[in-house]
Amino acid sequence: MIQNAQDDSGPGGRIALRMTGISKRFGPVQALSDVAFTVRKGTVHALVGENGAGKSTLMKVLAGVYQPDTGSIEIGGKAMAFANPGKAIEAGISMIYQELDLAEDLTVAANVFLGMEPRGKLPMTVDHHKITEDTGELARRFNFDIDPAATVADLSTGDCQIVEVLKAMMRNASIIVMDEPTSSLSEREAERLFEIVRDLRKRGFSIIYISHRLEEIVDLADDISVLRDGCVVHTGSADHIDIPMIVHHMVGRELKDFYPERNVQIGGALFNADKLCSDAGVKDISFEVRTGEIVGMAGLVGAGRTEVARAIFGVDKHTGGTLVLDGKELAIKSPVDAISNGIAYLTEDRKRTGLCLELPCSWNITLPNLCDIGMKHLISPGRETRIAADYGSRISVKWSSPTAGADSLSGGNQQKVLIARWLLAESRFLIVDEPTRGIDIGAKKEIYTLLNQLAEQGKGILFISSELPELFGVTDRILVMRRRTLVGNLKTKDTTPDEVMHLAAVEEH
Amino acid sequence: MNKLTRQLLPFGTLVLIIVALSILRPETFLSLDNFLNVLRRTSMPGIIALGMTFVIVSAGIDLSVGSMLAVSGMIGGLVMSKLTGANPAVAAIAASFLTVFAGAVCGLLNGALITKLKLPPFIVTLGTMSAFRGISYVMNDGQPYDMPTYRYLGEGLIPLWKTLEVPVAGQFRPEVDRILMPWQSVDLETVAQGSRIVPHGIPISILIFAVIIVLAGFLLKYSRMGRYTYAIGSNKEAAFHSGINVDLNLIAIYAITGLFVGIAAMIQNSRTVSSQPTAGIALELDVIAAVVIGGASLSGGRGTLTGTVVGILLISFLRNGCTMLGISTNIQLIVIGAIIIAAVSVDQLARSKAESGTGG
């Protein structure tokens, strides 16, 4: 069945994909202009750029979702034109999107064979036995440890990606596009994914790898292309480029101090959790956050970091322990109580638990704050828009107008709208959960700076993140979670990423 | 197609229908009486559609409004039948009050079941649609209650002027002889035999409809509850994480809808001078259609009361026009069905165009 991509002399020799002169315009926006993009066979080619630089558009052109205005695509030396995504799949192109698109209620095998199921003995039936067998066989060939009969909804994000890879293999893909594959993976799952990518490369597949995480890109990629404002500003071997150079190409300027300088005076106790337990399973969580302090929280996915935030914010039910803010013991039963006591929670999934996407940005900003801005009984739209515009401009949100729909903004600006929401709430204690996930490097830096400014104003911040570099870049102290309990409370300047990782990942017996 | 033209589309269609009918049937269609008649008929489903707008904006649905209309109407009829000896005005007020109250209780029950049992609104209201209908049949063994003195809401007018109409030889209809102010009167003995005085003005039911449009419009646009309705419909989880009491708001939304249904039941009873256990069968379909034609999204977060009013007027004038053109009610169903699908697909087309325009 499917082994390796067509045999070849080895990496570097032949060209798997050549896109030349690709231009695409949406109304007034020139999304791509005269883009040339070449992927050598059997290599990993990283595609980087800020949000809105044109990466997704270029990949959608490749996948047949968009038709380019000009330009040509060659696969293995043959000119191609993809009228629709089906044609691109036939030509051996497989996309693995950031938001995986799997049928959650079906089994792994059914997903892998989706749309190409072998006929069963009776007409209109599927040979479930055969698809399970074949999927298992395929998984074994790639050394994937996955149960073909498992339901996708029960799998971790990392396992779902494996299903996507299997799907691609089943469709004879030779070029695999991975869009931000590690953005929602724990470090350990990410490591496993890197192994898979390296293995695929060895077997002669070509991989286009899109990521905001530059560390992993320089580690993994053979070639790197940088897009900026719809143009390729750099393309070449990964051996001759380092992270500062990539950043330089991406933003068009040097980002000398990527993390803001911290010289905040840390004050007295602001927030204190004592032996906090919740019905989501976190137990005996005790820690303190002082005024002006940014406390990081590290841990693998599933370690219970978000659950701690949810317990403090009243989303999950407390089953024990006490919370104290400003010397006052809090009784928090729901987010209503948490907000009125001055706690803010920037959730990890801004689309699911943060924004009302089709509503205006201004409404999103004022949503929890209507009473505080004197609109308990009567909303005054004019004043509301002015308040939103004011808070938006303080953190330089880029929008066409404060009343534009939140869905018209880029990821980084959506995140800023949510930050504006909590700025307006004048919360004393902020919990930010993966605030920089999936946003571009420029916006990341702005968010770090903003958190730093908030700390300078005497607020306390609990910063949950899966990216150790940013935790080390911005925090004063790092809490480490493992198996829903707190296993470390370290001063950032006295510890190392290795120590944090060890605490988060290694069981002690 | 931008946002504005999208919103203006149903309104444009309504205007088009009115203009077309005015040209095709200038005599019968284009008269004040006919317009008032259409509006009077619209008031009952219209008031319910206003409540349904809140429900649909909150990403819910209420299939039980038709049955609720019957149940709350029957409660009113029951009260009237028990108070036959009392002063008719007192009985009418008591019946009206309990009709509205019954509607609100039914709505409250829907809201409580949806939030406390965490069931989808579709399922809950599918159940109560059947149950409420059953109750309305059980109440008087499937028979209506007659309410002979309950006329004011159906027939009453805010008087603006009166006409004296006198018979003309050789003509079937009497003709207007002169126009009188409400306070003027004519001794009928002094004019030709068979003359009559006809009062004109704004029917009470239309006035109630107008008042509720203003109130509900205010509630949806300028109150926190209205704002939270949009937020819950757009993203319930985000609303919850923003400190909104989602359950309380949803209960309020369904209770308000019930309250509006109660008011509509009152008008319906008065128009038929009885309460019918069969009232409002398939009413929910017209009401939901009006809200959707008006631009609301069944997935929530989108919709306006102006849109809904245009939607329900569009359906009413279409019905009226079809009748005037001699098109059978069966064909009307087909036309209305086609309009619903056309309205939603135009909307969808505009949305997908807007989305593909922001790629990159």
Side-chain angles (χ1 to χ4, degrees):
Chain A
M1 204 169 38
I2 304 99
Q3 316 272 331
N4 300 341
Q6 296 93 327
D7 282 320
D8 198 61
S9 45
R14 285 207 337 228
I15 301 298
L17 166 73
R18 192 195 297 276
M19 300 175 84
T20 37
I22 304 283
S23 296
K24 178 74 184 170
R25 173 182 281 275
F26 296 104
V29 182
Q30 186 75 45
L32 294 172
S33 43
D34 197 22
V35 169
F37 182 62
T38 305
V39 180
R40 294 180 295 146
K41 192 167 163 10
T43 62
V44 176
H45 194 134
L47 187 57
V48 296
E50 295 195 85
N51 284 351
K55 293 169 304 199
S56 321
T57 312
L58 184 65
M59 288 305 106
K60 283 181 177 164
V61 167
L62 179 60
V65 178
Y66 295 146
Q67 313 310 315
D69 302 332
T70 63
S72 61
I73 302 175
E74 280 176 33
I75 308 260
K78 251 172 56 194
M80 299 271 179
F82 304 136
N84 56 54
K87 291 272 189 290
I89 292 171
E90 270 173 41
I93 291 163
S94 182
M95 302 282 294
I96 302 178
Y97 289 104
Q98 191 175 355
E99 285 98 15
L100 304 169
D101 40 19
L102 295 171
E104 293 210 337
D105 297 323
L106 299 184
T107 62
V108 170
N111 268 287
V112 169
F113 274 89
L114 199 65
M116 47 189 294
E117 294 87 351
R119 189 101 53 80
K121 290 200 180 65
L122 295 169
M124 313 291 286
T125 61
V126 173
D127 189 342
H128 287 285
H129 183 69
K130 183 171 161 53
I131 67 171
T132 311
E133 286 283 294
D134 286 0
T135 305
E137 169 69 26
L138 189 65
R140 268 193 299 284
R141 195 168 301 153
F142 285 91
N143 301 318
F144 295 157
D145 177 23
I146 195 160
D147 174 12
T151 305
V152 166
D154 301 334
L155 301 180
S156 69
T157 315
D159 284 342
C160 289
Q161 269 163 349
I162 289 180
V163 179
E164 289 276 12
V165 171
L166 286 174
K167 239 175 114 170
M169 297 303 108
M170 191 55 76
R171 281 157 185 74
N172 280 316
S174 59
I175 298 170
I176 300 168
V177 182
M178 294 184 170
D179 190 358
E180 288 283 348
T182 54
S183 66
S184 49
L185 295 188
S186 63
E187 302 244 349
R188 188 188 279 176
E189 281 191 311
E191 271 309 321
R192 187 175 63 158
L193 183 81
F194 300 152
E195 282 313 309
I196 292 170
V197 170
R198 291 193 181 101
D199 183 57
L200 290 174
R201 168 172 64 188
K202 213 180 296 162
R203 290 169 191 254
F205 293 95
S206 310
I207 290 148
I208 300 173
Y209 192 92
I210 300 175
S211 177
H212 284 301
R213 296 189 183 177
L214 302 181
E215 292 87 355
E216 68 190 34
I217 280 175
V218 289
D219 206 32
L220 202 61
D222 301 298
D223 295 316
I224 295 179
S225 288
V226 185
L227 273 174
R228 186 172 79 226
D229 302 330
C231 302
V232 176
V233 290
H234 170 88
T235 184
S237 163
D239 300 338
H240 310 306
I241 193 164
D242 56 6
I243 290 178
M245 281 297 288
I246 298 175
V247 172
H248 176 74
H249 285 305
M250 281 168 69
V251 298
R253 61 184 188 276
E254 301 262 5
L255 281 181
K256 258 203 200 120
D257 310 296
F258 190 61
Y259 296 107
E261 183 133 346
R262 281 195 52 77
N263 43 18
V264 177
Q265 196 60 46
I266 293 175
L270 172 72
F271 173 84
N272 195 306
D274 187 36
K275 294 204 184 313
L276 179 70
C277 304
S278 84
D279 66 348
V282 292
K283 47 188 186 291
D284 293 336
I285 308 291
S286 304
F287 66 93
E288 185 185 67
V289 178
R290 292 153 176 271
T291 58
E293 191 179 32
I294 302 181
V295 176
M297 185 175 263
L300 304 177
V301 168
R305 294 168 301 169
T306 296
E307 285 76 5
V308 170
R310 287 165 61 96
I312 295 171
F313 200 61
V315 178
D316 294 335
K317 222 170 112 194
H318 294 190
T319 52
T322 53
L323 299 173
V324 175
L325 185 72
D326 273 331
K328 202 178 88 185
E329 190 171 333
L330 307 174
I332 294 175
K333 292 201 183 64
S334 75
V336 186
D337 301 329
I339 292 168
S340 62
N341 278 302
I343 299 176
Y345 177 32
L346 187 70
T347 58
E348 74 178 317
D349 189 338
R350 62 175 174 273
K351 289 199 172 132
R352 212 175 65 73
T353 50
L355 287 164
C356 296
L357 280 171
E358 59 267 77
L359 301 186
C361 293
S362 53
W363 292 19
N364 274 291
I365 290 174
T366 59
L367 193 57
N369 306 314
L370 287 170
C371 294
D372 301 329
I373 56 174
M375 300 189 188
K376 185 172 174 141
H377 302 295
L378 176 68
I379 293 171
S380 144
R383 199 162 72 81
E384 178 181 36
T385 307
R386 282 197 299 280
I387 289 173
D390 174 27
Y391 276 81
S393 68
R394 287 189 201 185
I395 54 174
S396 53
V397 183
K398 287 192 200 78
W399 51 28
S400 57
S401 125
T403 53
D407 50 3
S408 68
L409 269 52
S410 71
N413 281 303
Q414 289 180 344
Q415 196 68 290
K416 285 195 203 165
V417 164
L418 290 172
I419 292 174
R421 168 190 289 178
W422 297 121
L423 286 182
L424 179 57
E426 295 190 340
S427 312
R428 297 273 287 129
F429 177 51
L430 268 86
I431 307 169
V432 294
D433 197 349
E434 305 283 2
T436 61
R437 176 181 288 174
I439 67 178
D440 66 63
I441 203 151
K444 269 186 187 179
K445 187 177 180 208
E446 285 180 282
I447 284 176
Y448 299 142
T449 310
L450 200 64
L451 292 176
N452 204 25
Q453 283 166 1
L454 290 172
E456 279 170 14
Q457 293 164 19
K459 297 176 194 293
I461 295 169
L462 179 65
F463 184 171
I464 301 172
S465 174
S466 293
E467 291 184 42
L468 287 179
E470 70 178 14
L471 283 182
F472 276 84
V474 290
T475 66
D476 302 302
R477 228 152 21 91
I478 296 179
L479 308 171
V480 186
M481 292 286 296
R482 187 179 68 226
R483 287 180 171 265
R484 301 183 180 251
T485 181
L486 206 56
V487 293
N489 187 342
L490 312 155
K491 269 210 149 84
T492 307
K493 60 176 191 290
D494 300 337
T495 184
T496 61
D498 285 4
E499 187 184 4
V500 171
M501 209 56 227
H502 186 83
L503 277 171
V506 183
E507 289 294 328
E508 285 156 26
H509 290 288
Chain B
M1 189 181 320
N2 62 28
K3 206 172 155 191
L4 189 70
T5 44
R6 216 164 72 205
Q7 283 172 343
L8 283 178
L9 199 72
F11 184 71
T13 315
L14 176 63
V15 171
L16 205 71
I17 289 171
I18 291 176
V19 169
L21 287 165
S22 305
I23 294 166
L24 289 171
R25 291 287 181 275
E27 311 259 298
T28 45
F29 179 78
L30 200 59
S31 74
L32 187 64
D33 276 350
N34 185 49
F35 270 68
L36 286 178
N37 189 25
V38 172
L39 288 179
R40 205 186 333 226
R41 284 182 189 208
T42 310
S43 58
M44 188 274 281
I47 290 169
I48 299 176
L50 299 177
M52 188 68 85
T53 309
F54 281 80
V55 169
I56 287 180
V57 168
S58 80
I61 193 93
D62 190 342
L63 301 175
S64 70
V65 289
S67 304
M68 223 190 272
L69 182 88
V71 154
S72 40
M74 286 299 280
I75 297 273
L78 178 70
V79 172
M80 285 297 265
S81 74
K82 298 284 179 210
L83 294 177
T84 40
N87 175 337
V90 172
I93 288 169
S96 302
F97 179 77
L98 281 166
T99 305
V100 175
F101 183 74
V105 169
C106 290
L108 203 66
L109 180 70
N110 277 336
L113 288 173
I114 288 163
T115 53
K116 297 305 163 200
L117 299 183
K118 302 201 184 308
L119 295 175
F122 187 93
I123 303 296
V124 167
T125 58
L126 188 68
T128 52
M129 171 166 98
S130 176
F132 292 157
R133 181 66 66 194
I135 294 171
S136 66
Y137 281 125
V138 167
M139 281 178 66
N140 197 19
D141 280 338
Q143 296 305 307
Y145 287 110
D146 284 331
M147 306 168 75
T149 57
Y150 197 74
R151 317 189 81 99
Y152 182 66
L153 293 172
E155 293 176 1
L157 297 173
I158 301 295
L160 292 179
W161 74 92
K162 295 190 278 194
T163 48
L164 175 67
E165 297 182 357
V166 294
V168 180
Q171 279 193 8
F172 179 68
R173 287 188 184 193
E175 277 195 353
V176 175
D177 182 67
R178 65 187 107 138
I179 293 170
L180 304 166
M181 289 296 105
W183 55 87
Q184 290 176 315
S185 64
V186 170
D187 188 358
L188 284 178
E189 302 282 308
T190 63
V191 291
Q193 207 188 354
S195 300
R196 57 180 183 174
I197 291 173
V198 182
H200 295 272
I202 303 168
I204 295 290
S205 55
I206 297 178
L207 193 72
I208 294 176
F209 185 27
V211 168
I212 295 182
I213 290 174
V214 174
L215 281 180
F218 183 83
L219 200 61
L220 189 57
K221 206 167 175 188
Y222 296 105
S223 79
R224 261 191 310 143
M225 187 255 177
R227 177 60 59 82
Y228 293 169
T229 303
Y230 280 103
I232 291 168
S234 169
N235 187 343
K236 202 169 157 179
E237 279 295 314
F240 174 67
H241 282 83
S242 300
I244 292 172
N245 191 334
V246 174
D247 285 2
L248 189 69
N249 266 276
L250 283 176
I251 291 174
I253 288 165
Y254 285 89
I256 285 175
T257 302
L259 186 92
F260 286 4
V261 172
I263 294 170
M266 215 165 71
I267 293 172
Q268 174 74 7
N269 278 354
S270 187
R271 270 184 52 206
T272 57
V273 210
S274 64
S275 62
Q276 305 280 344
T278 53
I281 287 179
L283 177 68
E284 60 281 350
L285 299 180
D286 265 11
V287 168
I288 293 168
V291 178
V292 169
I293 290 173
S297 157
L298 283 178
S299 51
R302 255 162 30 93
T304 60
L305 280 183
T306 355
T308 297
V309 171
V310 170
I312 195 80
L313 286 176
L314 203 151
I315 293 180
S316 290
F317 275 106
L318 204 66
R319 286 245 159 83
N320 179 252
C322 285
T323 312
M324 297 216 158
L325 296 174
I327 298 170
S328 78
T329 46
N330 303 338
I331 305 290
Q332 290 176 23
L333 289 175
I334 301 174
V335 172
I336 288 170
I339 288 205
I340 294 170
I341 293 171
V344 177
S345 52
V346 164
D347 200 54
Q348 206 62 40
L349 202 71
R351 261 144 104 53
S352 62
K353 256 192 183 164
E355 263 157 38
S356 69
T358 57

